Amino acid sequence: FPVTIPTIELYGSGLFTDKEDTGYVYGWENKLGQYKLTAHLKLFNGTTSDAKAGIMLRTMGKSDSAFIGVFVCGDNNLKVIRRINRGDDLTVVSTTAIGRNDAVWLQIENQGGDLTIRYSLDLDNLGETAVTWTVLGTFTGLVSGWNNQYKFLSCSSGTDNVNLAYFTKVKTEVYRDWE
């Protein structure tokens, strides 16, 4: 059953480059282990190369928790970033030049602990089923051992300035094991 939120505005400031990822995050949790998280980042005022806005899965809301996510960055790159264990440094898993820092679809799908991370530069007036997705990475068993799986939208400026991230078509689609 899909749950859709039409628009969410986040304002965030702070670094997202080391052991602690500061900025602003909006998160929620569901107890079912298979789902697809989709959002369209319509607008992002990423003024520094360290500015980031995107979606992520986390073990908790603390700023040094384990996570994996996909982020549109102020340098017009798309990055998959993770922190393997609580308190570790960030690891950039992949970087893709997209030539912009907004108007990007983002998606993380969890099928039994196996993650697939995707993006699209298609227009936001397309329905999700018409979007053409590009796979950024597939991760086997990455979140299987996590006790909690919180979904987050995030925005960070890379400085003390405040940035805006405007997400549209935020949707969590949950797959039930018995369907």
Side-chain angles (χ1 to χ4, degrees):
F1 57 90
V3 176
T4 303
I5 303 169
T7 61
I8 297 174
E9 289 185 21
L10 293 179
Y11 295 89
S13 68
L15 295 178
F16 192 175
T17 56
D18 55 17
K19 291 187 186 313
E20 293 194 28
D21 46 292
T22 60
Y24 185 80
V25 293
Y26 172 82
W28 64 99
E29 178 188 26
N30 67 281
K31 296 295 184 183
L32 299 175
Q34 300 192 81
Y35 52 85
K36 189 186 304 180
L37 171 61
T38 304
H40 184 261
L41 179 61
K42 186 169 185 84
L43 177 66
F44 176 51
N45 295 327
T47 56
T48 70
S49 61
D50 286 333
K52 295 172 185 62
I55 61 175
M56 67 173 92
L57 305 179
R58 299 178 73 91
T59 58
M60 63 179 72
K62 294 187 180 219
S63 66
D64 66 345
S65 65
F67 76 89
I68 186 163
V70 57
F71 305 92
V72 176
C73 300
D75 61 1
N76 297 330
N77 287 313
L78 193 63
K79 295 182 182 179
V80 175
I81 303 172
R82 70 183 278 205
R83 178 181 292 117
I84 297 170
N85 297 300
R86 187 171 181 201
D88 286 352
D89 284 328
L90 304 182
T91 302
V92 177
V93 177
S94 69
T95 301
T96 302
I98 57 173
R100 61 174 114 167
N101 64 8
D102 57 10
V104 180
W105 286 91
L106 305 170
Q107 186 177 81
I108 300 175
E109 184 173 14
N110 180 357
Q111 291 271 351
D114 296 337
L115 298 182
T116 303
I117 298 177
R118 301 177 183 94
Y119 81 99
S120 177
L121 300 178
D122 286 351
L123 299 173
D124 69 334
N125 61 356
L126 294 175
E128 182 192 342
T129 57
V131 171
T132 302
W133 295 100
T134 300
V135 174
L136 287 169
T138 303
F139 305 89
T140 303
L142 180 70
V143 297
S144 297
W146 290 7
N147 292 332
N148 298 305
Q149 291 180 37
Y150 295 94
K151 292 164 216 60
F152 280 87
L153 304 177
S154 72
C155 177
S156 180
S157 67
T159 68
D160 288 335
N161 296 328
V162 175
N163 277 353
L164 163 71
Y166 182 63
F167 292 91
T168 60
K169 302 181 180 174
V170 178
K171 178 179 175 182
T172 301
E173 187 175 356
V174 177
Y175 307 120
R176 296 184 185 191
D177 295 334
W178 58 87
E179 291 182 334

